[in-house]
Amino acid sequence: MNTPVTLYRDLFTELEKSLPGYDSLPLRGLRQEGMQHFMDKGFPSQRLENWKYTPVKAISQKIYHINNHACQGLDPSDLLPYLIAPLGVYRLVFVNGWFSQTLSDLHDLPDGVRVESMAKLVKEAPDMLEPYLKNKKSGSDQGFTHLNDALWSDGAYIHLSPGTRLERPLHLFFLTATSKKSMMTLPRNIVVAGADSHAWIVESFASLGHFPHMTNAHSTIVLHDHAHVHHLLHLGENHSAQHVGTVESTQKGDSRLDSQLFSFGGERTRQEIHVQLAGEQAECSLDGLFIGNGRQHMDFHTSIHHTHANTRSQQLYKGILAGHAHGVFNGIITVPPHVHHTQSNQLSTNLLLSDTAEIDTKPQLEINSDAVQCSHGATVGSLDPEALFYLQSRGLDASTARNLLIQGFAEELLQRITPKLVQNWIEKHFNKGEYHHES
Amino acid sequence: MNILEIQNLQVSVMNKPILRGLDLRLGEGEIHAIMGPNGSGKSTLANILVGRGDYQITAGTIRYQGEDLIVRSPEERAMAGVFLAFQNPVEIPGVSNARLLKEAFNAHRRYGHLPEMDAMTFRTHLQERAKHLGLSDDWLLRPINVGFSGGEKKRNELLQMLVLEPNLAILDEIDSGLDIDALTDVANGINALRNNLRSMLLITHYPRLLEQVHPDKVHVLIGGRIVMTGGMDLAGRLEEQGYGWLSEVAA
Ligand SMILES: Nc1ncnc2c1ncn2[C@@H]1O[C@H](COP(=O)(O)OP(=O)(O)O)[C@@H](O)[C@H]1O
Ligand SMILES: [Mg+2]
């Protein structure tokens, strides 16, 4: 029987030899292991607690084809609408899942900072990558990740030596040039921030054209002692796109991760962000802003595991949902026994702009230690009619008043974006956001 | 000419009559005070004038500059120069005072077929007015009314009035909860805008503000009707004697 799972197995058999890392036995083994897990477990079932609200069937029923070579023929000017800024940013561009040298710009990278295409590096230094490619999870909820383990094509490898700083933001840009032949891209990124290093990394996803496509992305971020990484995710694919992504981050002592997620696109988007605070005084801040309209599905899952004492985490996720959009926020905080003096705050606030929009939001705490500080909460509301009237009474028409209130709702998260260049870029995307169309 | 003419205005909230045949005429350049006990319908009148939705107008007419006001939307009224300083202005997180003022000011300019003011000139325009009310520059960057004290909210309403320069300003208890200094700032703000075309309705409980502003008339609103009209002496008498002696007139 040809189920999607067996079809992907056949595809794997066909493509395996051409995928990066085939010449390295351990890496070949990791891909095969990923495929084996995928065969065993398949796509996650909605019966699983953390997949309960995700329309997995709708995401996985379609068979996508996978491209094993780079797409040629894109002109740098095609990229302009998607770039943070033409100058002042390092840029790695991936088209249909593969690195494009001509569209990228890595001029003047400081010494000690290595930025490469994974597909290229895997040939030169497979041993270096192996530990980061090993997927330690293998539950029945890991289907998409296992598929990525098996079939990943390319992505960015970023290594910051101890004490190095990337002064300009590094933009990892994943563009799918869509066509009638629906394609799945499977990017894989690795970021290793050495002790005392500092970087701004922006990962963004977009589509050229309006045909359906799927992205199955995976990023691993490792922060060593005192490292500080800003990781901003911008999900802005077309309205027929399926996006499933995972970020796995491990933090050593005194390190700091600032994760900011901005999700405005896609038909169905699911992003997971998992953080291990695995060193004393490590801290992370996870921000998220998502906007859904029409029949968009926006689905976010965070988990923060405080494995060490004196670690801190903070989360603020805000959803704006119009039309028939459906949002999900599920955040898990775990503190094992005997881990003391942790601090965790989590807040999910949501703005529903129509009676038909929906949000499922659920904080989950698994706290087995006493000496902790923890707060969490979730709110769901609509635009305040008093505030709308107030603005109109000052001369603003109804739609300007409405937009101002929606922007006001998001403002706190937009304000926290640094540097200014990136903030302006996200604000631009936000301001032409889909919430403008009443539906 | 009268800028505002209200005849036999009857307004209900959830089928409960609040205004019960109210008549009022306000001439160009005039300032009238409206006084009255709590719950007599003062704020209802103010809200009706700026087009708030949750009231039913069951009878009567309101003419502003000779034209029917009731048919116009709140924003049309604002741009035609009607302004209400709310008794309890709402808090709007994430939207700065400057942002609102810029949007509102430019909406007014467009309505008057004037070009939008450039950012620098507008900034100066704002800062001058903020200073007039004793408000600091960073005030403008704060979200609208969020965490403001009662007095700060009142000043903020007045700042909007000074920037938008309305033809008809209705100030609903702008003086409640203000100390003497703040009251003087507010009175100065009102007097600064005063000219022979601009008119104001001051809703108040106290003669203190009226002593600094010198209204042309003082009306007493009880039970949804204007039951008496007089001058400053009437305000003084109300302060001393309350409204009890008027209940016969009101019945
Ligand atoms: N939105 C409303 N919903 C219900 N009742 C209202 C509303 N607005 C006013 N009222 C009622 O109308 C009456 C007049 O209120 P208001 O106009 O605020 O009086 P004042 O400003 O003179 O104190 C009061 O009895 C008040 O409870
Ligand atoms: Mg009142």
Side-chain angles (χ1 to χ4, degrees):
Chain A
M1 200 180 72
N2 281 346
T3 65
V5 173
T6 59
L7 284 167
Y8 282 118
R9 184 207 48 206
D10 295 347
L11 200 60
F12 178 70
T13 314
E14 180 194 324
L15 291 176
E16 193 187 1
K17 287 195 180 65
S18 65
L19 291 172
Y22 186 74
D23 297 335
S24 148
L25 273 180
L27 293 196
R28 193 195 301 178
L30 286 178
R31 284 190 187 273
Q32 287 167 349
E33 200 179 300
M35 190 33 81
Q36 192 55 51
H37 283 309
F38 177 67
M39 299 276 298
D40 295 344
K41 304 279 164 65
F43 287 108
S45 148
Q46 270 189 271
R47 282 193 298 270
L48 293 167
E49 187 57 27
N50 54 350
W51 286 84
K52 189 162 137 192
Y53 299 110
T54 310
V56 184
K57 283 233 167 63
I59 295 174
S60 63
Q61 71 197 353
K62 198 177 167 87
I63 304 299
Y64 296 91
H65 106 103
I66 292 171
N67 215 4
N68 60 356
H69 56 270
C71 161
Q72 305 300 329
L74 273 189
D75 193 79
S77 65
D78 296 329
L79 295 190
L80 283 176
Y82 305 96
L83 300 185
I84 296 172
L87 300 171
V89 179
Y90 302 111
R91 185 168 69 238
L92 243 67
V93 179
F94 300 84
V95 181
N96 297 346
W98 298 89
F99 178 60
S100 164
Q101 180 83 54
T102 50
L103 299 175
S104 300
D105 181 357
L106 290 173
H107 276 77
D108 308 324
L109 269 183
D111 290 341
V113 178
R114 186 163 185 185
V115 179
E116 305 258 18
S117 134
M118 287 276 289
K120 176 165 170 265
L121 195 65
V122 95
K123 291 195 191 98
E124 296 166 9
D127 305 345
M128 201 167 81
L129 294 181
E130 193 197 336
Y132 302 111
L133 286 170
K134 223 180 171 78
N135 188 358
K136 290 168 211 99
K137 294 185 179 171
S138 65
S140 47
D141 57 345
Q142 295 294 310
F144 288 99
T145 307
H146 289 316
L147 197 59
N148 184 294
D149 289 338
L151 283 164
W152 66 268
S153 56
D154 203 346
Y157 173 81
I158 298 155
H159 187 274
L160 299 145
S161 301
T164 51
R165 284 180 70 89
L166 263 188
E167 298 291 349
R168 303 180 208 161
L170 170 58
H171 185 191
L172 313 180
F173 179 41
F174 298 90
L175 180 67
T176 304
T178 67
S179 70
K180 285 201 179 95
K181 208 169 167 195
S182 305
M183 175 190 316
M184 183 184 326
T185 55
L186 300 104
R188 185 90 177 203
N189 302 304
I190 295 171
V191 179
V192 181
D196 281 309
S197 63
H198 187 184
W200 274 280
I201 296 165
V202 177
E203 232 182 276
S204 80
F205 294 84
S207 333
L208 262 185
H210 295 285
F211 291 104
H213 69 103
M214 160 130 199
T215 303
N216 178 349
H218 192 284
S219 298
T220 299
I221 307 176
V222 178
L223 290 89
H224 288 281
D225 291 350
H226 291 281
H228 186 180
V229 171
H230 300 259
H231 181 256
L232 186 145
L233 257 179
H234 171 243
L235 308 178
E237 288 160 322
N238 72 27
H239 283 191
S240 326
Q242 315 297 314
H243 185 106
V244 177
T246 301
V247 172
E248 293 272 359
S249 166
T250 309
Q251 295 187 234
K252 297 287 167 53
D254 297 287
S255 64
R256 179 172 174 92
L257 173 70
D258 285 298
S259 156
Q260 291 168 310
L261 170 105
F262 296 92
S263 181
F264 306 146
E267 181 180 24
R268 298 185 191 87
T269 294
R270 178 183 163 114
Q271 180 69 45
E272 300 186 14
I273 298 183
H274 304 288
V275 179
Q276 296 243 11
L277 295 172
E280 290 217 9
Q281 303 291 351
E283 63 182 329
C284 70
S285 157
L286 310 188
D287 283 351
L289 177 65
F290 52 99
I291 305 177
N293 198 358
R295 300 207 164 264
Q296 276 181 300
H297 177 87
M298 291 277 176
D299 200 336
F300 305 97
H301 298 255
T302 64
S303 76
I304 297 176
H305 197 45
H306 290 259
T307 67
H308 281 62
N310 298 307
T311 49
R312 294 172 296 278
S313 70
Q314 180 217 294
Q315 297 180 71
L316 178 59
Y317 265 70
K318 292 194 174 199
I320 300 170
L321 298 162
H324 288 77
H326 183 205
V328 180
F329 175 74
N330 189 355
I332 305 176
I333 298 168
T334 52
V335 185
H338 314 302
V339 174
H340 296 313
H341 308 299
T342 62
Q343 268 177 40
S344 25
N345 303 309
Q346 182 193 74
L347 183 61
S348 151
T349 64
N350 301 281
L351 182 59
L352 299 185
L353 297 176
S354 73
D355 295 340
T356 44
E358 249 188 282
I359 177 81
D360 289 292
T361 172
K362 183 174 73 168
Q364 251 173 290
L365 307 174
E366 291 169 16
I367 298 191
N368 301 303
S369 170
D370 298 329
V372 301
Q373 242 189 57
C374 180
S375 76
H376 64 94
T379 66
V380 180
S382 49
L383 288 178
D384 177 5
E386 295 258 343
L388 272 175
F389 178 71
Y390 186 83
L391 297 179
Q392 283 174 268
S393 80
R394 299 306 184 232
L396 278 58
D397 61 63
S399 107
T400 307
R402 190 168 168 274
N403 288 342
L404 213 55
L405 291 184
I406 295 169
Q407 280 173 31
F409 176 77
E411 188 65 12
E412 188 181 359
L413 292 170
L414 297 170
Q415 278 312 316
R416 292 216 280 246
I417 306 173
T418 52
K420 195 78 192 154
L421 207 65
V422 177
Q423 185 187 44
N424 292 343
W425 177 69
I426 292 290
E427 276 176 349
K428 197 180 72 193
H429 283 286
F430 177 81
N431 288 333
K432 58 178 194 216
E434 291 295 321
Y435 63 85
H436 288 290
H437 311 286
E438 197 104 35
S439 57
Chain B
M1 191 186 116
N2 288 329
I3 192 167
L4 183 68
E5 282 190 29
I6 304 174
Q7 281 184 344
N8 186 34
L9 182 63
Q10 300 185 29
V11 173
S12 300
V13 177
M14 296 185 298
N15 298 317
K16 175 181 154 202
I18 308 293
L19 298 183
R20 301 185 302 154
L22 183 140
D23 295 290
L24 186 76
R25 270 170 199 76
L26 179 65
E28 263 177 1
E30 288 182 354
I31 295 186
H32 290 192
I34 298 181
M35 304 181 81
N38 281 329
S40 59
K42 303 182 299 296
S43 293
T44 302
L45 173 63
N47 283 318
I48 283 292
L49 290 174
V50 291
R52 195 182 185 104
D54 8 297
Y55 300 90
Q56 302 99 42
I57 299 177
T58 52
T61 56
I62 306 175
R63 299 200 153 268
Y64 169 69
Q65 294 177 330
E67 287 177 42
D68 185 8
L69 189 65
I70 294 174
V71 294
R72 299 208 211 169
S73 70
E75 59 268 35
E76 283 169 342
R77 298 178 197 208
M79 289 186 292
V82 183
F83 178 92
L84 169 60
F86 288 88
Q87 184 178 350
N88 299 306
V90 64
E91 300 190 0
I92 310 186
V95 182
S96 70
N97 289 314
R99 182 73 200 275
L100 165 60
L101 289 166
K102 179 172 151 260
E103 295 284 347
F105 185 79
N106 282 329
H108 280 71
R109 300 273 292 190
R110 285 194 299 273
Y111 180 81
H113 303 288
L114 294 167
E116 294 191 358
M117 201 182 262
D118 71 86
M120 281 307 288
T121 317
F122 182 62
R123 231 181 102 130
T124 319
H125 185 81
L126 276 190
Q127 284 170 347
E128 279 168 12
R129 281 155 184 79
K131 208 162 146 190
H132 204 97
L133 290 166
L135 301 172
S136 61
D137 283 0
D138 62 336
W139 178 273
L140 295 166
L141 299 175
R142 290 174 62 182
I144 300 164
N145 294 322
V146 177
F148 290 12
S149 71
E152 287 175 330
K153 286 182 180 168
K154 304 287 181 187
R155 285 175 200 241
N156 203 44
E157 294 293 286
L158 270 197
L159 172 64
Q160 294 177 17
M161 180 177 86
L162 291 186
V163 171
L164 298 177
E165 304 184 333
N167 302 317
L168 169 61
I170 305 130
L171 309 181
D172 192 356
E173 298 201 19
I174 196 76
D175 52 347
S176 292
L178 295 189
D179 59 32
I180 295 290
D181 289 344
L183 196 76
T184 303
D185 284 342
V186 165
N188 288 342
I190 292 169
N191 288 327
L193 268 193
R194 200 164 191 174
N195 66 27
N196 55 6
L197 291 176
R198 187 167 290 131
S199 311
M200 297 190 199
L201 280 181
L202 299 183
I203 296 171
T204 180
H205 286 296
Y206 314 104
R208 282 188 314 180
L209 176 66
L210 302 183
E211 279 153 16
Q212 297 188 51
V213 173
H214 308 293
D216 299 286
K217 283 181 185 169
V218 175
H219 305 281
V220 184
L221 175 58
I222 296 180
R225 269 189 284 253
I226 304 285
V227 297
M228 184 170 280
T229 297
M232 270 305 290
D233 49 331
L234 179 55
R237 187 165 174 202
L238 292 171
E239 162 104 312
E240 279 166 30
Q241 302 181 9
Y243 296 98
W245 61 280
L246 277 164
S247 48
E248 260 170 53
V249 194

